[in-house]
Amino acid sequence: MSPSCDQANPAGGEAGQKHPFGFAGLWDRSVRADGTAVESCAIITMPGNDLMRQVHNTGNNPHRMPAILAPAAHDAWLSGGAGEARAVLGPYPQDVMACVPGRYASQLTEK
């Protein structure tokens, strides 16, 4: 049984087979009228699977999780059109994730 992953027990998640995984995100660079560059980014979130709902369970958008992309989806996300990118978005399967007590999001790795 996986250890509890809740706010009282800070934890990080792990995903997959100990291979790097990617979050779906958006990046943009624009230039203001004065020539100053503005770089922006955002991580896309999805409804959380049961495991991640234990972690992301408070705040303005509870029960969410980052959109984690399976390795097979990276090319579609990075190089495909909007339809291809949208097609690879979905909750990451919880059966390949694990809760690791005492770890934080900055320390996420795959299991």
Side-chain angles (χ1 to χ4, degrees):
M1 182 165 131
S2 291
S4 176
C5 262
D6 58 28
Q7 292 297 336
N9 181 17
E14 294 188 345
Q17 303 294 318
K18 289 206 179 211
H19 300 286
F21 61 95
F23 288 161
L26 301 173
W27 177 84
D28 184 51
R29 184 175 196 272
S30 58
V31 180
R32 295 182 178 152
D34 67 2
T36 305
V38 177
E39 295 181 346
S40 304
C41 65
I43 294 176
I44 294 175
T45 60
M46 306 290 300
N49 60 32
D50 288 340
L51 177 68
M52 292 304 292
R53 284 176 182 219
Q54 296 176 51
V55 176
H56 293 282
N57 59 10
T58 62
N60 293 333
N61 298 296
H63 308 299
R64 81 242 183 255
M65 67 182 285
I68 300 173
L69 298 173
H74 292 180
D75 285 340
W77 182 258
L78 295 171
S79 303
E84 291 171 286
R86 198 172 295 116
V88 299
L89 290 176
Y92 204 72
Q94 72 181 38
D95 61 331
V96 296
M97 299 178 78
C99 177
V100 181
R103 300 210 28 214
Y104 292 91
S106 63
Q107 301 171 321
L108 290 179
T109 61
E110 292 191 289
K111 73 176 184 181

